[in-house]
Amino acid sequence: MKFLITALFLTLFTFSAFGQNEQAPIAEKSFAYKDWTYKNLEGEGETNLRKFTEGKKFVMVVYWAPWCPNWKHDVAFIQQLHEKYKDKGLTIIGVANYDSVEKMKAHVAQYKLTFPMVYDKTTYGDREKTVHFTQRREAGDLRKWGTPWYIFLDPGKLKKDGEALTEKTMVVNGELVKADAENYIQEKLGLTSAASAKVEECDPATKTLAVSKP
């Protein structure tokens, strides 16, 4: 009996330690988010982020690794955001890291991801050699691997030249809080309206409309 209780405790501890999500809020961080040029995951050539953002309304950069369980918690939601808002002004680009190109491509195919993808480092051993690592640290992200990691960019406010695109940006150091993320995206795309103020039935005592704040 004592053995079973011990085994159960260890199981619960393992789940607690390694099975938790790492959701984080959208927060403004002051650090120089650098421009980059990475190889395209599909097809030939490279993508430069500054050029990629030109003419776009709102851009979300998501860093991920194929094997990361925390990224797998978000992956379907990110594809849904792409499908729902791509024609309304949201542009998503993925930056893959820390695995082989073959596994990156297999992951994209498995989850039927259709937004653009680039890749940086392709081995575990390069973790501390990536710009991704140093930029996360500058943004206050102390996770070991740091995926997923989100950067939100307003193209109209980015620097036109230089190493840094911006000195301040909105960041998520972890998984998205889905409702908050979608509300934020809708706001940035100008999709929120007076409808967010819910009009309730008339108050019979005052004969006036009761309006709840959004």
Side-chain angles (χ1 to χ4, degrees), residues 9-188:
F9 174 81
L10 290 174
T11 300
L12 291 173
F13 175 81
T14 300
F15 178 80
S16 175
F18 300 102
Q20 294 186 70
N21 298 327
E22 295 177 338
Q23 291 178 316
I26 301 170
E28 184 178 72
K29 301 291 183 179
S30 297
F31 70 105
Y33 181 62
K34 296 179 180 178
D35 187 24
W36 48 251
T37 300
Y38 293 138
K39 292 181 179 178
N40 297 324
L41 186 58
E42 300 291 346
E44 301 296 326
E46 300 176 328
T47 294
N48 171 259
L49 183 57
R50 180 178 274 117
K51 291 181 179 178
F52 179 80
T53 63
E54 291 178 357
K56 305 292 195 305
K57 188 171 185 178
F58 192 56
V59 175
M60 180 170 75
V61 184
V62 53
Y63 294 77
W64 60 276
W67 44 262
C68 178
N70 300 89
W71 161 240
K72 290 177 182 178
H73 182 266
D74 274 11
V75 60
F77 178 61
I78 301 306
Q79 177 63 23
Q80 290 169 9
L81 289 176
H82 169 65
E83 293 172 359
K84 187 173 181 179
Y85 296 108
K86 64 181 179 180
D87 295 328
K88 297 178 173 64
L90 175 66
T91 302
I92 300 174
I93 185 167
V95 181
N97 263 305
Y98 312 133
D99 213 338
S100 68
V101 171
E102 291 75 16
K103 289 183 179 178
M104 292 173 183
K105 289 182 176 181
H107 180 89
V108 168
Q110 178 184 355
Y111 289 95
K112 298 180 174 60
L113 304 179
T114 56
F115 49 93
M117 293 287 184
V118 297
Y119 68 94
D120 185 14
K121 301 300 183 181
T122 56
T123 67
Y124 274 47
D126 286 330
R127 179 177 67 89
E128 295 186 5
K129 301 174 185 177
T130 61
V131 175
H132 169 235
F133 178 84
T134 57
Q135 295 267 265
R136 286 195 304 106
R137 287 293 187 265
E138 292 168 354
D141 183 2
L142 301 180
R143 295 174 297 158
K144 180 177 180 180
W145 290 99
T147 73
W149 190 53
Y150 298 92
I151 299 289
F152 294 95
L153 300 174
D154 183 341
K157 297 180 180 179
L158 300 181
K159 295 181 178 182
K160 302 302 181 183
D161 52 37
E163 185 179 32
L165 290 172
T166 178
E167 300 295 335
K168 289 185 178 181
T169 190
M170 304 302 286
V171 174
V172 179
N173 289 334
E175 298 160 51
L176 295 175
V177 179
K178 294 179 180 179
D180 291 349
E182 187 156 14
N183 288 339
Y184 176 69
I185 288 168
Q186 288 178 347
E187 177 185 343
K188 298 301 292 185

